[in-house]
Amino acid sequence: MQVGVCADPKYGPALAQAGFDFVELNVQQHLMPLADDATFEPELARIKAAGLPAIAANSFVPGSLKITGPVVDRAALEAYAETAFSRAQAAGIRTIVFGSGGARQIPDGFDRDQAWEQLVWFGAMVGPRAQAHDVTVVVEPLNVTRGECNVLTSVGESARYVKQVDHPSFRLLADAYHWGLDHDNFGELVASGPLLRHVHIATVEHRLPPGFEDCDFTPFLHGLLLGGYDGPISIEASWDDVAAQADVAYARLMDIVNAAGL
C-alpha cells in the first residue's frame, strides 16, 4: 500500500526521507487549469523535480465555476476539465479528487432533483475525458457538521452517485476526517469498497496528521479492510511544519495501517 501527503512539491525531499511514497497536489494551485500553458510550464518542472511522484491531486473545481444551480456554464466546465486532465497526465497524476464543495453546493431554494441531474451530467462529462488521459476522478464525500457541502455528504450517497454515472474512470474516495466527523455509516463504507480508488486520512477533532492528537481510526480502517481496499492513502491535514512533522506522521500512519491489517 502506498502512503503519501497532500502537500506542495517543495516538501517532496523531506517526505521521501520520512518514508512516504508520493505527494498529492492541488489541481487549482499546481495544475492551473485557468492559466495558459506558458504559466503552467515552470510549475510542471517543479512538480517533476519534487523528489516524489505526484500521483493524485485534489481541489478539482473552483467555487466560482458552478456545477449546480441556475447558472451553470457547461462549455466552461468542459474546457476546464480537459485542461486539468491533460496537465495531470503530463505531471504523472493518475487520480483527481472531486470534493469541490463550493462548486457542487446546491444553492438555497434550488430544486435538488435538478441539481442531482446536473451532478450526473458533470460525472458523465468528466468520465470519458479523464479516461482519455489515463486519469480517474474520485468523488469525495464532504461533511455537513462543519458546513463543507450540502450534497454528496456520505459514502452511501456518493456511492449511489458514482453508480448512476456508471463510468470506470469515475469512482469513489473515502476520507477518515469527514467520515468520522459526521459519524457516517460503517456498513456503507464496507459495501462501497469495490468503488474506492483513493483514501484521505486525518484526525477528526482538528484535522491533524496521525500522531498529533488522539484519534481512533480503527472503525474507518476496519471498514476499508472488510471492503477489500488496497489502494493509496494520503494524509490530508493541517500541519505546523510538514518537514519537521513528517517522520512522526509516517511512523504513526504505518502503525495504524499495519495494525488494521491493510
Side-chain angles (χ1 to χ4, degrees):
M1 174 175 287
Q2 290 185 302
V3 294
V5 174
C6 300
D8 189 86
K10 69 182 180 182
Y11 294 113
L15 294 171
Q17 185 174 6
F20 287 101
D21 300 302
F22 66 90
V23 291
E24 178 173 329
L25 304 182
N26 181 297
V27 172
Q28 296 171 55
Q29 292 178 16
H30 300 121
L31 299 184
M32 303 176 170
L34 295 176
D36 60 23
D37 289 343
T39 303
F40 173 60
E41 285 174 6
E43 190 64 20
L44 178 60
R46 203 168 70 90
I47 292 168
K48 290 186 173 181
L52 276 179
I55 69 167
N58 55 55
S59 300
F60 182 17
V61 184
S64 60
L65 195 55
K66 300 300 182 184
I67 296 169
T68 66
V71 181
V72 175
D73 188 336
R74 291 190 170 187
L77 285 167
E78 290 170 349
Y80 180 91
E82 182 63 33
T83 301
F85 297 144
S86 175
R87 292 181 178 177
Q89 185 175 33
I93 290 168
R94 302 297 301 275
T95 302
I96 297 289
V97 177
F98 175 38
S100 308
R104 77 189 197 202
Q105 174 91 3
I106 301 173
D108 291 343
F110 190 76
D111 184 77
R112 290 189 69 88
D113 289 340
Q114 185 177 349
W116 186 265
E117 291 175 1
Q118 291 172 321
L119 286 164
V120 172
W121 169 84
F122 179 77
M125 181 272 290
V126 300
R129 287 172 168 80
Q131 186 177 48
H133 293 286
D134 295 322
V135 170
T136 298
V137 174
V138 291
V139 180
E140 179 176 25
L142 300 176
N143 74 79
V144 294
T145 301
R146 293 179 180 160
E148 293 206 18
C149 201
N150 63 1
V151 67
L152 303 175
T153 56
S154 70
V155 170
E157 181 190 24
S158 300
R160 289 190 291 276
Y161 171 51
V162 168
K163 289 176 181 177
Q164 186 168 346
V165 170
D166 191 25
H167 192 279
S169 292
F170 196 76
R171 287 294 179 254
L172 185 65
L173 175 149
D175 185 304
Y177 165 74
H178 296 297
W179 189 84
L181 188 65
D182 277 359
H183 305 287
D184 203 353
N185 187 279
F186 178 81
E188 289 182 341
L189 176 63
V190 175
S192 299
L195 296 175
L196 289 175
R197 295 296 182 271
H198 200 64
V199 163
H200 284 163
I201 195 165
T203 66
V204 172
E205 187 173 357
H206 295 108
R207 204 172 192 176
L208 300 181
F212 289 90
E213 72 176 353
D214 289 339
C215 185
D216 183 7
F217 294 106
T218 305
F220 179 76
L221 295 175
H222 188 53
L224 296 182
L225 177 68
L226 293 180
Y229 184 73
D230 63 356
I233 296 179
S234 292
I235 298 175
E236 185 186 30
S238 298
W239 302 75
D240 292 328
D241 185 328
V242 173
Q245 295 175 296
D247 286 341
V248 172
Y250 176 79
R252 179 58 182 149
L253 179 57
M254 294 311 298
D255 282 347
I256 61 177
V257 165
N258 291 332
L262 288 168

